[in-house]
Amino acid sequence: SSWTCTNTKVPAFDGIYLPPETPLLTLAYEDDPWYPGEPLRGTCAQKMSGRADSNHITVPGQGHGTYDSKEAREAVIQFIKRLLLSS
């Protein structure tokens, strides 16, 4: 939550470093004041190629911690429910 999976100046922070079969949900506001402009522009969705069980939610508005967004909380609930039902 609240990370872009991008950092063109620090390759260790540019990408998603977990097995591609691991389910993944990422959340971020469309305007996060913690990440102004380059090198952090973008979203984790741009790094999800080849990850079948991955989804990124862009929360409308401005903010950083996504816990206060009803949309973000609902996405997490649905993600967890789906994982529990599939196991």
Side-chain angles (χ1 to χ4, degrees):
S1 178
S2 303
W3 176 241
T4 64
C5 302
T6 61
N7 190 327
T8 57
K9 291 188 177 189
V10 183
F13 295 124
D14 191 42
I16 300 169
Y17 300 104
L18 69 141
E21 65 276 4
T22 302
L24 175 65
L25 172 66
T26 62
L27 309 142
Y29 273 98
E30 65 185 351
D31 183 14
D32 187 330
W34 286 31
Y35 306 120
E38 300 297 334
L40 303 168
R41 188 172 313 272
T43 69
C44 294
Q46 297 164 309
K47 308 294 183 174
M48 291 183 177
S49 179
R51 297 179 170 279
D53 196 7
S54 298
N55 190 28
H56 171 79
I57 303 292
T58 298
V59 179
Q62 182 181 32
H64 181 68
T66 59
Y67 54 84
D68 62 343
S69 163
K70 182 179 179 180
E71 180 182 358
R73 287 192 311 269
E74 185 60 30
V76 171
I77 289 167
Q78 294 307 314
F79 181 74
I80 292 170
K81 281 182 178 179
R82 185 180 52 75
L83 291 177
L84 290 173
L85 292 174
S86 68
S87 59

